[in-house]
Amino acid sequence: MTTMVDRYIEVALSRIPGGSRNDVEREMRGMIDELVDGRIEQGEEPDIAIEHVLNELGNPRDLAREYGDGRRYLVGPDQYDSYVDLLKAMLTRVLPFVTVIVFMVQLLGSDESDIVPAVLDAVGESVWMTLNAAVHIVFWVTVVFVVLDRTGASAPGDQRRWTVADLPAPRTRRQIPVADALTGLAFTLLIGIFLVIVYRGGVDLFTRDGEGILSAGSVPFFNPDIPQSMAWLVLVLLAADTVVECLKLNVGNWTRGITGATVLLAVVWAVVAMVIIGRWGLVNPGIGSEMSDDLAEIFLSSWFELSVLAVALASSAIDIWDAVRGYLAWRTPDDEWSV
Amino acid sequence: MSGDDAVLAGHIQELRRGTVVLAVLATLRTPGYGYALLEELGAAGIEVDANTLYPLLRRLEKQGLLTSMWDTEGERPRKYYQTSDAGVTSMRALAEEWARLDTSLSRLLAGEKQR
């Protein structure tokens, strides 16, 4: 009829699925013609009538929504809650593992002889991989839910009628706050990074002449008498600590397993610290050749060793105290019914 | 105050929405096309916009409550609709529900206690 009507219909049809486009176009044209004719019969000029009709019909996209039964959303209200829940769970539970594992693998497998570039590489790689993993998780979870939504399948658990049994378990006193678990995780990682740096970097961090401050050291800081197997044991303990901290984050409760693992690790750490410091001494006696006498004297004094031992034992004791107190909390009356 | 007006307009629209279906099904027991129906409903005091009515006719047809037929005899093709048998059944059920609601609401509005 006129270009204005054509343009209007074109915009509307662009929002209609291909299959029903011809059909809808025919119907829309019929509708507009009828409405325009109605106005012309009442004495309006044709051009004015068309403008009035199109203005009255409003935004062609809104009209297309009325006509098309295509959806205007990715995940509908029925699936939305499950979608958000799963997304949250996946992001908070999987990403920490990715960060930690990529960091460890990168650091241990690094070609860099210098420790600082190695750590920076590992940090960069773990951040990058974590971002990648986050994008993948969001994308694939969304795809799954879009498919679920389009195929009309309902999310697990949505088919049943809701009953009070579906209420989540009440928060109990033995709950491990997320902040605590994250702090524990960060602490473990910092200790691990620090030990690896000192172990690989030797004493160059403390050299006297200021040369090659960050290059690989010639004199190890740790006592070479300490057998290699002990170093591996420490590494295994760090890995185990990391796993337990991640489990705390995931499970969120002082379950028997987590409590047991925490106590066991704390005891083993304490024993390892006592054995290393008591049997061989932590610091390389030959360290004096690489640093000032005053500094060497401090590191080689018995109080330095004793302070390290004291810190190790104290942190083990605190770990055990926390774990046992958390585990026992559920025995108290006000939480009893929830168990 | 326009916020309150918008809220009221929304409620009024919701109240009307279902009744348009009943009005359409009742009117189209004798065949008719979109514009004629629009006029007829307007004359009967049922307020409905073209951009609501035409898509509604199509939806009701898809649901099997209306049947349609293109009339190509006239000056330009026109789509005629008629209430189907299923549509008549639905119309009766809706009308019954309407009457029931009307009774209940009238009682409530009059402040009478329901027994």
Side-chain angles (χ1 to χ4, degrees):
Chain A
M1 192 170 171
T2 66
T3 47
M4 211 196 294
V5 173
D6 289 341
R7 272 157 56 207
Y8 186 92
I9 287 178
E10 194 184 318
V11 174
L13 286 182
S14 69
R15 300 275 157 165
I16 301 280
S20 49
R21 213 169 271 175
N22 287 340
D23 197 24
V24 171
E25 178 177 4
R26 198 176 176 199
E27 228 161 272
M28 273 191 190
R29 266 187 205 285
M31 165 181 72
I32 293 172
D33 289 349
E34 283 175 16
L35 293 170
V36 170
D37 286 351
R39 283 186 170 269
I40 291 174
E41 271 170 36
Q42 283 164 23
E44 275 187 24
E45 288 294 313
D47 287 351
I48 308 285
I50 288 169
E51 205 177 318
H52 278 157
V53 164
L54 296 186
N55 275 338
E56 238 164 56
L57 287 176
N59 192 332
R61 292 179 174 189
D62 294 339
L63 189 66
R65 189 175 52 225
E66 291 285 328
Y67 266 108
D69 33 26
R71 303 165 201 236
R72 290 289 191 279
Y73 53 80
L74 279 178
V75 177
D78 288 352
Q79 314 279 0
Y80 184 75
D81 288 338
S82 311
Y83 170 69
V84 170
D85 284 350
L86 185 62
L87 215 48
K88 270 189 196 160
M90 293 284 283
L91 289 175
T92 54
R93 291 173 187 200
V94 174
L95 288 187
F97 277 108
V98 173
T99 314
V100 169
I101 288 168
V102 172
F103 180 81
M104 285 303 197
V105 167
Q106 282 290 317
L107 192 62
L108 294 176
S110 173
D111 299 335
E112 296 278 355
S113 56
D114 294 354
I115 191 63
V116 170
V119 170
L120 290 180
D121 271 2
V123 168
E125 188 67 16
S126 60
V127 167
W128 174 242
M129 291 300 283
T130 305
L131 282 176
N132 270 325
V135 170
H136 270 278
I137 288 172
V138 172
F139 177 76
W140 289 111
V141 169
T142 307
V143 166
V144 166
F145 270 87
V146 169
V147 170
L148 276 180
D149 203 287
R150 296 302 186 267
T151 54
S154 54
D158 279 359
Q159 283 144 341
R160 292 182 301 107
R161 219 184 121 77
W162 188 92
T163 68
V164 282
D166 293 322
L167 279 174
R171 286 169 176 272
T172 64
R173 242 190 283 172
R174 63 173 174 153
Q175 196 117 24
I176 305 172
V178 173
D180 282 13
L182 282 177
T183 314
L185 191 60
F187 191 68
T188 305
L189 286 175
L190 282 178
I191 298 263
I193 292 167
F194 178 73
L195 287 181
V196 173
I197 285 178
V198 175
Y199 185 76
R200 288 184 48 148
V203 293
D204 266 23
L205 289 167
F206 309 102
T207 43
R208 159 164 50 191
D209 54 10
E211 254 180 38
I213 281 219
L214 297 173
S215 64
S218 47
V219 177
F221 180 78
F222 291 121
N223 194 338
D225 291 344
I226 303 170
Q228 191 67 36
S229 56
M230 271 295 161
W232 282 112
L233 180 58
V234 167
L235 210 55
V236 168
L237 284 177
L238 282 171
D241 264 352
T242 308
V243 169
V244 169
E245 293 298 339
C246 284
L247 281 175
K248 281 185 192 170
L249 203 58
N250 272 0
V251 178
N253 271 322
W254 289 104
T255 61
R256 195 166 297 184
I258 286 180
T259 309
T262 307
V263 170
L264 183 68
L265 276 173
V267 170
V268 176
W269 269 118
V271 171
V272 166
M274 280 194 286
V275 168
I276 289 179
I277 291 171
R279 194 153 166 204
W280 300 288
L282 190 62
V283 183
N284 185 357
I287 202 176
S289 65
E290 286 284 323
M291 58 175 68
S292 70
D293 296 342
D294 293 349
L295 206 52
E297 201 176 315
I298 290 175
F299 281 127
L300 292 173
S301 65
S302 58
W303 81 241
F304 177 75
E305 302 265 333
L306 282 177
S307 323
V308 173
L309 184 61
V311 168
L313 292 183
S315 73
S316 282
I318 290 172
D319 277 358
I320 294 173
W321 167 255
D322 269 356
V324 170
R325 198 184 46 174
Y327 180 66
L328 290 181
W330 69 270
R331 291 177 186 276
T332 56
D334 66 321
D335 289 335
E336 220 166 41
W337 67 281
S338 70
V339 177
Chain B
M1 286 322 270
S2 68
D4 288 350
D5 290 348
V7 168
L8 181 59
H11 284 305
I12 289 176
Q13 202 186 353
E14 276 191 43
L15 207 50
R16 283 178 183 165
R17 191 170 291 154
T19 63
V20 173
V21 173
L22 179 50
V24 167
L25 291 177
T27 313
L28 287 177
R29 278 177 294 179
T30 53
Y33 61 99
Y35 188 73
L37 182 63
L38 200 60
E39 301 254 275
E40 202 170 338
L41 289 178
I46 308 276
E47 283 180 47
V48 55
D49 290 330
N51 57 12
T52 306
L53 182 68
Y54 282 86
L56 174 67
L57 291 174
R58 188 181 162 81
R59 272 203 298 280
L60 291 175
E61 184 193 354
K62 279 200 169 170
Q63 291 168 352
L65 302 183
L66 295 179
T67 56
S68 77
M69 204 189 82
W70 280 93
D71 173 21
T72 49
E73 300 291 303
E75 195 180 330
R76 58 168 53 114
R78 232 169 217 166
K79 196 174 185 183
Y80 275 82
Y81 290 95
Q82 184 171 16
T83 308
S84 68
D85 291 347
V88 173
T89 312
S90 297
M91 184 205 76
R92 293 214 175 100
L94 287 174
E96 233 165 74
E97 186 63 23
W98 171 255
R100 205 185 60 74
L101 275 173
D102 183 40
T103 316
S104 306
L105 279 174
S106 301
R107 267 198 215 131
L108 273 181
L109 291 172
E112 197 182 311
K113 281 211 172 154
Q114 267 192 308
R115 283 279 136 192

